Amino acid sequence: MAGNVPPVADEREGLLAYLEQQRHVLRIAAHGLTEEQARAVPTKSSLSVGGLIKHTASTESGWIDIVLQKPSKPMEEAMKDYEADYVMAEGETVEGLLARYDEVARRTSDVIAGIADLGQPVPVPKGVPWYPQDVDAWSVRWVLLHLIEETARHAGHADIIREHIDGATAIPLMAAAEGWPETPWLKPWSPTENAETA
């Protein structure tokens, strides 16, 4: 069925496929947007579609750094980066943000392919206020599940923001992005039909 993860052979393939599906639906929220629309914050929150894509890519990259046990940035620098990651800055483009997200996704797949056991411990960074101090380690499996959760949450945010921008909703956008034919029950989104609500 279109729009769903196809059958999977095993746990690893399933986790990566569901993570990719959530990345895909987040990308679809940007389908057909101008740079200005992707940067727009049309709700009471300060979130934009472009900012959510940027933040989610950065978050995934950060978690893979944790899996690889790379050293953390100093707290002050990490906080500045965290705040900046929610904003699609002037000069950034949807194309550039999506290309970065594709790089992050490839890296995640490559790193996970090189890990034999998804139960491998991932030590919890110490001294970081948003990580639990009473847990010594997560597992690679836990990190992948957390990335699915985080990406799905932000994909939902992006759907709401997109609907505020021009009235477009997830399934018609997916139909347009993936080239589904029009049916009696579904008409793919088109920019000309949505221009009046933009």
Side-chain angles (χ1 to χ4, degrees):
M1 180 177 183
N4 288 306
V5 174
V8 297
D10 56 32
E11 179 189 26
R12 183 184 306 260
E13 184 181 338
L15 290 168
L16 290 172
Y18 271 88
L19 177 55
E20 178 51 34
Q21 174 66 4
Q22 292 308 311
R23 289 190 202 108
H24 180 62
V25 296
L26 176 53
R27 288 184 195 101
I28 284 173
H31 180 76
L33 289 181
T34 65
E35 309 304 340
E36 183 180 337
Q37 288 172 320
R39 201 173 279 111
V41 288
T43 68
K44 286 187 177 182
S45 93
S46 60
L47 299 176
S48 68
V49 172
L52 284 166
I53 292 167
K54 182 178 175 182
H55 164 75
T56 307
S58 178
T59 297
E60 182 172 329
S61 182
W63 275 101
I64 297 304
D65 284 349
I66 292 170
V67 168
L68 295 172
Q69 298 182 44
K70 292 196 167 195
S72 299
K73 292 179 181 178
M75 186 62 61
E76 188 175 323
E77 184 182 345
M79 286 305 298
K80 282 182 185 174
D81 288 350
Y82 177 81
E83 291 170 12
D85 280 343
Y86 272 106
V87 178
M88 183 176 169
E90 290 299 325
E92 289 183 320
T93 65
V94 173
E95 182 180 1
L97 294 176
L98 293 174
R100 166 74 177 128
Y101 205 8
D102 289 343
E103 289 172 16
V104 168
R106 278 191 295 277
R107 177 179 180 236
T108 296
S109 292
D110 291 347
V111 168
I112 299 305
I115 295 172
D117 179 7
L118 296 180
Q120 175 181 306
V122 177
V124 176
K126 297 303 175 192
V128 180
W130 48 83
Y131 296 137
Q133 298 307 298
D134 60 343
V135 175
D136 292 328
W138 299 293
S139 65
V140 174
R141 177 182 296 104
W142 184 96
V143 170
L144 288 171
L145 287 165
H146 178 68
L147 286 173
I148 293 166
E149 170 193 40
E150 177 86 5
T151 308
R153 181 172 180 243
H154 290 315
H157 291 151
D159 283 345
I160 292 166
I161 292 165
R162 177 59 190 265
E163 190 168 358
H164 274 271
I165 291 169
D166 68 355
T169 56
I171 301 302
L173 278 170
M174 184 178 288
E178 296 181 358
W180 301 1
E182 184 173 339
T183 68
W185 61 272
L186 176 65
K187 185 171 188 173
W189 172 87
S190 88
T192 53
E193 292 185 12
N194 286 272
E196 295 174 9
T197 59

